[in-house]
Amino acid sequence: METALYCPNCGYYEKKKDIGRSGDFHTSVSVGPLFGALLAQKFSAWLEGIPAGRHPPVIAEAGAHDGTLAADILTSLHTHHPELFGKIEFRIIEPSPQRRAWQRKTLAAFENKVRWTEDLSGLTNHGAADGGRAFCGIIFSNELLDAFPVHRLGWDGARKLWFEWGVAVNGDRFVWTRLSAAPVLPEWVRLLPPALLDALPEGCAIEVCPAAEQWWRRAAAILHQGWLLTADYGLNEDEILSPCRPHGTLRGYFRHHLADDILERPGEQDITAHVNFTALERAGGLAGLVTEFSGSQSKFLTEIFARAFHDGRLSGWSRAQTRQFQTLIHPEHMGGAFRVLAQRRDSDKINRVET
Ligand SMILES: C[S@@+](CC[C@H](N)C(=O)[O-])C[C@H]1O[C@@H](n2cnc3c(N)ncnc32)[C@H](O)[C@@H]1O
């Protein structure tokens, strides 16, 4: 999955810039600029509430792809919160030179506002001149963690154990192959009750994504004061094993269709799996973060909308915005399948977690 998506020469996300109608799938960002405008509304409410510190607050995005969401947020802050726009720094966490080039182009109008870092550690290390500093602000992502490589586990009902699926080459095709080494199981899988395991169908599959939890843990460790937010499609742990998903959630998208075989067309189709939101929330909690919001995208965005309405900030709301809002919150579009997790660290909580 990592090679198919991120190989510098042939990886899907290195080659395919288009998301939305001309791409393989939609995201809340490709629906239109409203998603970014609502996030900007939320971010301004958060940042305006924290006392001015020695350094300006930072808004940092990971998984920015071509920079559209960053541009939507910055445009909205510039228009509706010019004072805050003047104060903040905007960072993009982007390991790929190719995607950084796309983002620079999209964000040309904000070239003095945006800076790039290859990974999370760059958020607290701004070079020798500044000697490193504690991160205060917001680290956010949309549909980042569903694109992290997963381990695919299968259930062997006869031997009552989990095994791991690997990928092998057979002739000119990639095929699934059962790995002989025992997989590393996360605690929630190890602790599944025997009665439930007895009821699992032979070959039922789930995914685990230690990389997503590790990313969240590292982001939490960096956060000295502020918020960590992600929006994505995902599940809570008690929803993962479900009769309606015997093959798990790992899937491919090609031209807006579910791919029949995710091993087909490597580098040409998207591969994705649902995010385990319970695991993220637990990782953040163990790192000392407090959950501020955990629920559907629909509820999250509706609350922002209601606040803006109450504050009289919605004058000039257009029909296009209404359509975008309906798509973003509709339970059969993005409002139900997508979830939001926002966790917070207050400044007096000292960060003691290893990165
Ligand atoms: C599904 S796309 C979402 C793009 C965009 N956020 C949106 O919502 O339209 C996932 C993006 O995350 C990026 N990505 C994956 N791993 C990353 C990492 N470790 N750091 C930063 N970006 C990453 C991918 O390259 C891709 O651009």
Side-chain angles (χ1 to χ4, degrees), residues 6 13 19 25 27-30 61-65 69 93-95 99 118 142-144 146-148 215 270:
Y6 304 110
Y13 281 118
I19 292 180
F25 56 90
T27 67
S28 299
V29 181
S30 68
E61 180 181 9
H65 197 66
L69 179 56
I93 305 151
E94 181 53 77
R99 293 193 297 274
E118 277 183 35
N142 184 60
E143 288 208 37
L144 166 74
D146 70 272
F148 275 24
W215 191 92
D270 183 35

Side-chain angles (χ1 to χ4, degrees), residues 160-235:
K160 300 230 174 302
L161 51 80
W162 292 99
F163 62 91
E164 180 163 1
W165 286 111
V167 177
V169 177
N170 184 357
D172 61 356
R173 303 192 58 222
F174 288 119
V175 291
W176 291 106
T177 186
R178 190 170 158 160
L179 302 181
S180 51
V184 178
L185 301 179
E187 192 174 73
W188 75 269
V189 179
R190 272 187 279 125
L191 296 182
L192 285 169
L196 192 149
L197 293 174
D198 283 343
L200 288 183
E202 178 67 30
C204 112
I206 56 172
E207 305 83 30
V208 295
C209 188
E213 278 168 65
Q214 193 194 358
W215 191 92
W216 196 262
R217 215 176 292 121
R218 292 191 63 215
I222 278 166
L223 194 66
H224 178 73
Q225 178 183 18
W227 291 263
L228 185 52
L229 175 143
T230 197
D232 219 315
Y233 39 80
L235 300 165

Side-chain angles (χ1 to χ4, degrees), residues 37 40-41 44 48 72-85 313-315 321:
Q41 184 71 26
S44 62
E48 278 160 2
D72 292 342
I73 290 172
L74 285 166
T75 303
S76 181
L77 287 177
H78 185 254
T79 311
H80 299 293
H81 304 274
E83 209 176 304
L84 182 69
F85 176 86
R313 290 182 184 268
L314 292 183
S315 60
Q321 284 173 307

Side-chain angles (χ1 to χ4, degrees), residues 42-62:
K42 186 73 190 170
F43 292 173
S44 62
W46 278 344
L47 294 178
E48 278 160 2
I50 62 172
R54 210 152 55 87
H55 297 290
V58 178
I59 299 179
E61 180 181 9

Side-chain angles (χ1 to χ4, degrees), residues 326-348:
Q326 284 165 342
T327 306
L328 291 171
I329 67 159
H330 195 289
E332 284 175 16
H333 290 290
M334 291 166 159
F338 283 75
R339 302 178 58 93
V340 174
L341 175 63
Q343 293 188 305
R344 185 186 74 235
R345 188 191 303 283
D346 299 325
S347 60
D348 56 343

Side-chain angles (χ1 to χ4, degrees), residues 135-157:
F135 182 94
C136 295
I138 298 164
I139 303 173
F140 78 99
S141 60
N142 184 60
E143 288 208 37
L144 166 74
L145 301 172
D146 70 272
F148 275 24
V150 296
H151 294 262
R152 187 175 192 219
L153 308 181
W155 176 245
D156 180 334

